[in-house]
């Protein structure tokens, strides 16, 4: 008889799968804790702080009272002595005399709000002179609740963000976990697909609804070229790499400089630690090395000048030829300049708690190559070439964890130790049928001719 | 434990389809305890295989479930049919594979599920060039 509930995972290929049901319960429990904590804290904050303050400002009735006495009361809160300003007032509401110790609406709460340092509390009570008349506000439902000061504390509303975000995170997680445990993967995907297909702006073509899971191509076609139809956008990931390197450099050197400054200060003060100084030395040298590397990379990136690729058509289709225009600005001697058509498969997977991405090049063809080039400030290098997408090529594809990416890669070998590479993503569609038809929607006939 | 058998048939063939073609067929759930079946789902979908996490997208989905007070013919043959989309086409790569299939999922009481699927190709299965 088959077990219905498996606690331990079962090995499937190179992955270990756990009990789905146990996973769902665990997920439900995890998000449930966030939901309960968030909602509970939200409720307590609302009831104890926000709601009384709101009522005091909106519903309390203005009146007049006489200050009879004033004191500063020490209160032990959170292991410290804090002070609460307390004013004894006397007033008559609807013919009924009232006498109460008060200040603001938080006076009677035990939340720590309305507690001050001694000097602050004394300054507050000093504002109220004994025997003088002051405005006060009382709760019409409970006239014994009277306050001398009212107003909104903006930080209380900010405080709500913390429990509200916990509650939101928890509730979204609980709904998601409940949906996961009660609905099949197909049903969930169907709901997601229907939601995604709601076309509010009637731009289905732009969003790639006609060709599901093919990346949209508007980021290419919205940039016209000067020589050919479209100018290809460069993949910005190298810029982000450089920014990341500078981030690491600043963080590393910041810490090192701070430690060095502290250590030098200690030496001047006469209690320096020579062992610490010696240990800091390799970190300092590494910091200088990182800084020099970043500086050289930045200089190189800025001195290279832009590489421009323009293409005669986009999107691209298998079996068709396209013209390519290449230009390179800057001031450099190039040993070799190549343009390569590349197709990569990319898969993202989880290994333990890590998310890994593996990329494999499945197609690579050099479509342009030149050697011994000189690019000068007054001499822009320009050339054109033709290339074709292979007839049986797979189209571009993108889903949550898997991708098939086509791109043109410009690689340059310089006479200096630096080489550079710039990538220009392109989108390959399935082969479009050329049959003249009144149907305006594109119809795909991929591989119909090459089908066995 | 009740035995459940799912019979899934395409009207034309179970091989090669092209974008814009209609895929249609019927399915049948055979069981000795029809009252143990809570619902039946049929979907035309693609999913990925390979190194990455599995992605899945449903192109056609239909669900028949037991509703209190209504007749639920578990064993009646049911039809499905849809026009296939332009993409993604079937693909057999190194890290990424895209597989199309028609999948029938039967939900039994106490959370048990029985699944049957019939693969087909959308476009001649492409391979890395």
């Amino acid at each position: 008889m088959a077990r219905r509930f498996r606690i331990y995972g079962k090995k499937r290929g190179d992955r270990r799968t756990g009990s789905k049901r146990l996973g769902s319960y665990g997920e439900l429990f995890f998000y449930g804790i966030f939901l309960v904590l968030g909602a509970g804290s939200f409720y307590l904050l609302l009831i104890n702080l926000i709601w009384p303050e709101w009522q005091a400002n909106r519903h309390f009735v203005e009146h007049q009272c006489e200050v009879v006495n004033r004191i500063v009361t020490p209160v032990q809160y959170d292991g410290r002595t804090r002070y609460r300003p307390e004013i004894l007032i006397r007033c008559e509401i609807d013919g009924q005399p009232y006498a109460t110790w008060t200040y603001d609406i938080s006076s009677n709460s035990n939340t720590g709000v309305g507690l001050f340092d001694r000097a602050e509390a004394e300054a507050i009570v000093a504002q109220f002179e004994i025997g003088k008349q002051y405005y006060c506000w009382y709760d019409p439902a409970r006239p014994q609740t009277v306050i001398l000061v009212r107003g909104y504390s903006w930080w209380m509303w900010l405080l709500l963000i913390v429990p509200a975000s916990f509650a939101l995170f928890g509730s979204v997680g609980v709904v998601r976990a409940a949906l996961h445990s009660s609905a099949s993967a197909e049903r969930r995907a169907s709901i997601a697909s229907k939601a995604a297909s709601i076309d509010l702006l009637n731009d289905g073509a732009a969003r790639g609804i006609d060709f599901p899971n093919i990346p949209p191509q508007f980021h290419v076609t919205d940039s016209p070229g000067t020589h050919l139809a479209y100018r290809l956008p460069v993949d910005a990931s190298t810029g982000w790499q450089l920014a990341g390197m500078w981030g690491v450099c600043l963080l590393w050197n910041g810490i090192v400089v701070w430690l060095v400054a502290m250590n030098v200060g200690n030496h001047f003060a006469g209690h320096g630690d020579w062992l610490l100084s010696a240990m800091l030395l390799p970190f300092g040298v590494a910091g200088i090395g990182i800084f020099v590397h970043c500086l050289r990379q930045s200089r190189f990136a800025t001195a290279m000048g832009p590489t421009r690729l323009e293409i005669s058509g986009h999107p691209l289709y298998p079996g068709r030829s396209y013209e390519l225009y290449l230009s390179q600005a800057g001031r450099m001697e190039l040993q070799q300049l190549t343009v390569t058509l590349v197709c990569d498969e990319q898969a993202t997977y989880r290994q333990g708690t890590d998310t890994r991405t593996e990329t494999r090049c499945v197609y690579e063809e050099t479509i342009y190559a030149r050697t011994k080039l000189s690019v000068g400030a007054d001499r822009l290098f320009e050339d054109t070439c033709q290339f074709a997408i292979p007839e049986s090529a797979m189209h571009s594809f993108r889903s949550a964890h898997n991708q098939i990416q086509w791109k043109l890669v410009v690689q340059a070998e310089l006479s200096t130790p630096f080489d550079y590479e710039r990538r220009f993503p392109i989108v390959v569609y399935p082969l479009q049928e050329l049959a003249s038809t009144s149907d305006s929607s594109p119809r795909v006939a991929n591989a119909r001719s090459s089908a066995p | 434990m009740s035995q459940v058998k799912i019979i899934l048939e395409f009207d034309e063939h179970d091989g090669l389809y092209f974008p814009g073609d209609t895929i249609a067929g019927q399915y049948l759930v055979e069981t000795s305890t029809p009252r143990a079946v809570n619902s039946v789902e049929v979907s035309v979908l693609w999913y990925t295989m390979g190194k990455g996490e599995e992605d899945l997208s449903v192109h056609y989905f239909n669900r028949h479930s037991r509703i209190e007070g209504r007749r639920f013919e578990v064993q009646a043959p049911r039809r499905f049919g849809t026009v296939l989309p332009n993409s993604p086409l079937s693909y057999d790569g190194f890290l990424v594979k895209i597989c199309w299939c028609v999948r029938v999922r039967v939900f039994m009481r106490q959370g048990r599920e029985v699944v049957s699927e019939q693969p087909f190709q959308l476009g001649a299965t492409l391979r890395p060039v």
Side-chain angles (χ1 to χ4, degrees):
Chain A
M1 188 171 161
R3 284 176 59 186
R4 294 208 178 135
F5 195 82
R6 191 189 297 279
I7 295 173
Y8 296 105
K10 188 177 179 182
K11 190 96 166 119
R12 292 186 191 282
D14 57 349
R15 294 194 200 140
R16 184 173 288 279
T17 59
S19 158
K20 280 188 179 174
R21 197 183 298 181
L22 189 67
S24 296
Y25 290 152
E27 212 175 355
L28 214 57
F29 179 70
F30 175 77
Y31 287 114
I33 287 174
F34 274 92
L35 179 58
V36 169
L37 277 177
S41 311
F42 189 90
Y43 175 77
L44 288 175
L45 207 59
L46 201 69
I47 289 298
N48 289 319
L49 297 176
I50 309 284
W51 180 244
E53 190 181 88
W54 173 264
Q55 272 202 315
N57 283 287
R58 300 297 295 253
H59 300 298
F60 277 28
V61 178
E62 191 178 279
H63 201 59
Q64 280 210 326
C65 66
E66 183 193 346
V67 171
V68 179
N69 200 356
R70 57 187 192 186
I71 57 169
V72 170
T73 311
V75 178
Q76 286 296 320
Y77 183 79
D78 211 12
R80 286 196 304 157
T81 305
R82 307 275 287 162
Y83 296 88
R84 174 180 290 143
E86 289 188 298
I87 320 289
L88 179 62
I89 58 163
R90 193 164 51 200
C91 60
E92 197 174 292
I93 300 166
D94 296 334
Q96 180 80 27
Y98 289 96
T100 184
W101 288 97
T102 187
Y103 173 58
D104 63 5
I105 194 66
S106 61
S107 297
N108 296 321
S109 75
N110 52 1
T111 55
V113 180
L115 298 178
F116 303 89
D117 293 335
R118 189 184 185 99
E120 287 173 327
E122 282 173 349
I124 288 170
V125 297
Q127 294 169 16
F128 298 94
E129 287 180 32
I130 293 169
K132 266 197 163 182
Q133 293 280 322
Y134 289 90
Y135 281 111
C136 65
W137 291 266
Y138 71 89
D139 185 351
R142 289 180 303 164
Q144 66 272 24
T145 307
V146 188
I147 56 170
L148 282 167
V149 174
R150 65 177 189 171
Y152 289 103
S153 314
W154 59 268
W155 57 267
M156 278 195 199
W157 297 89
L158 281 183
L159 268 185
L160 278 180
I161 293 172
V162 178
S165 56
F166 269 59
L168 186 70
F169 176 72
S171 53
V172 168
V174 164
V175 169
R176 189 173 158 270
L179 203 65
H180 266 248
S181 61
S182 64
S184 64
E186 296 85 41
R187 195 175 175 196
R188 291 198 306 269
S190 170
I191 294 167
S193 169
K194 275 182 189 159
S197 66
I198 297 171
D199 192 3
L200 295 174
L201 300 171
N202 196 24
D203 63 343
R207 292 196 297 137
I209 287 174
D210 293 334
F211 289 87
N213 295 94
I214 295 182
Q217 44 125 357
F218 55 81
H219 65 285
V220 176
T221 51
D222 65 358
S223 178
T226 52
H227 293 75
L228 296 173
Y230 304 112
R231 176 181 176 177
L232 295 176
V234 67
D235 184 359
S237 60
T238 45
W240 286 111
Q241 268 177 11
L242 195 61
M245 275 165 53
W246 271 113
V248 171
C249 173
L250 290 176
L251 186 69
W252 180 281
N253 284 303
I255 293 169
V256 169
V257 166
W258 178 63
L259 287 172
V260 167
M262 271 184 39
N263 203 26
V264 168
N266 286 343
H267 277 294
F268 276 114
H271 48 85
D273 187 343
W274 288 105
L275 183 65
L276 182 65
S277 305
M279 284 171 69
L280 275 176
L281 197 64
F283 287 96
V285 171
I288 292 167
I290 295 170
F291 179 73
V292 169
H293 181 71
C294 286
L295 205 64
R296 288 177 75 177
Q297 288 294 325
S298 300
R299 269 190 63 195
F300 174 69
T302 49
M304 268 309 301
T307 307
R308 176 184 282 206
L309 277 191
E310 292 181 9
I311 198 163
S312 57
H314 202 274
L316 291 81
Y317 295 96
R320 299 221 187 137
S321 290
Y322 299 88
E323 201 174 342
L324 194 71
Y325 163 80
L326 163 70
S327 80
Q328 176 63 58
R331 188 178 297 178
M332 60 201 148
E333 295 294 324
L334 296 173
Q335 294 298 315
Q336 190 174 34
L337 182 69
T338 58
V339 182
T340 315
L341 176 65
V342 174
C343 179
D344 284 340
E345 287 179 12
Q346 194 178 81
T348 304
Y349 56 96
R350 279 201 301 197
Q351 205 167 47
T353 53
D354 296 337
T355 300
R356 297 179 187 279
T357 299
E358 187 171 327
T359 304
R360 179 161 178 170
C361 176
V362 293
Y363 181 78
E364 190 171 5
E365 182 193 356
T366 302
I367 56 173
Y368 178 86
R370 283 282 300 271
T371 52
K372 304 284 181 199
L373 297 174
S374 178
V375 183
D378 55 340
R379 206 160 21 138
L380 183 72
F381 174 77
E382 295 175 290
D383 208 349
T384 56
C385 68
Q386 282 219 330
F387 74 99
I389 302 292
E391 203 165 334
S392 57
M394 175 60 177
H395 59 76
S396 301
F397 169 78
R398 185 165 68 195
S399 61
H401 303 97
N402 297 277
Q403 281 192 58
I404 297 167
Q405 297 174 317
W406 285 89
K407 59 193 170 192
L408 291 163
V409 181
V410 177
Q411 286 172 305
E413 280 180 33
L414 304 181
S415 43
T416 61
F418 293 108
D419 295 337
Y420 79 91
E421 179 180 296
R422 280 173 184 165
R423 289 165 287 193
F424 298 81
I426 50 176
V427 182
V428 174
Y429 271 44
L431 190 61
Q432 204 170 6
E433 204 169 56
L434 287 172
S436 56
T437 168
S438 58
D439 183 7
S440 59
S441 63
R443 179 177 158 80
V444 169
N446 182 284
R448 202 183 271 276
S449 56
S450 62
Chain B
M1 189 181 288
S2 60
Q3 292 294 314
V4 178
K5 188 179 172 190
I6 301 167
I7 299 164
L8 176 59
E9 288 170 346
F10 293 152
D11 281 351
E12 293 182 16
H13 54 83
D14 54 359
L16 182 61
Y17 288 83
F18 291 96
D21 284 354
T22 298
I23 187 167
Q26 67 173 9
Y27 60 98
L28 183 70
V29 179
E30 285 184 354
T31 174
S32 54
T33 53
R35 297 192 68 79
V37 175
N38 275 342
S39 56
V40 182
E41 289 178 358
V42 61
S43 28
V44 177
L45 64 123
W46 62 260
Y47 59 92
T48 59
M49 281 174 64
K51 189 87 178 178
E53 298 284 318
E54 183 187 270
D55 291 324
L56 175 151
S57 180
V58 171
H59 177 63
Y60 167 87
F61 179 79
N62 204 350
R63 178 182 166 91
H64 302 273
S65 50
R66 188 181 293 282
I67 298 169
E68 198 66 39
R70 285 198 193 169
R71 192 180 164 88
F72 182 49
E73 285 285 352
V74 174
Q75 304 198 76
R78 292 190 170 85
R79 290 199 57 75
F80 66 89
T82 184
V83 177
L84 291 167
N86 288 332
S87 61
L89 303 181
S90 299
Y91 179 64
D92 185 18
F94 293 108
L95 299 180
V96 181
K97 297 175 200 303
I98 300 168
C99 310
W100 279 89
C101 71
V102 178
R103 185 179 287 172
V104 175
R105 192 182 287 270
V106 178
F107 293 85
M108 311 292 288
R109 282 183 184 164
Q110 297 173 328
R112 199 162 73 92
E113 293 175 19
V114 182
V115 183
S116 174
E117 67 179 44
Q118 184 74 51
F120 67 91
Q121 289 174 42
L122 182 61
T125 300
L126 297 164
R127 291 187 173 79
V129 187

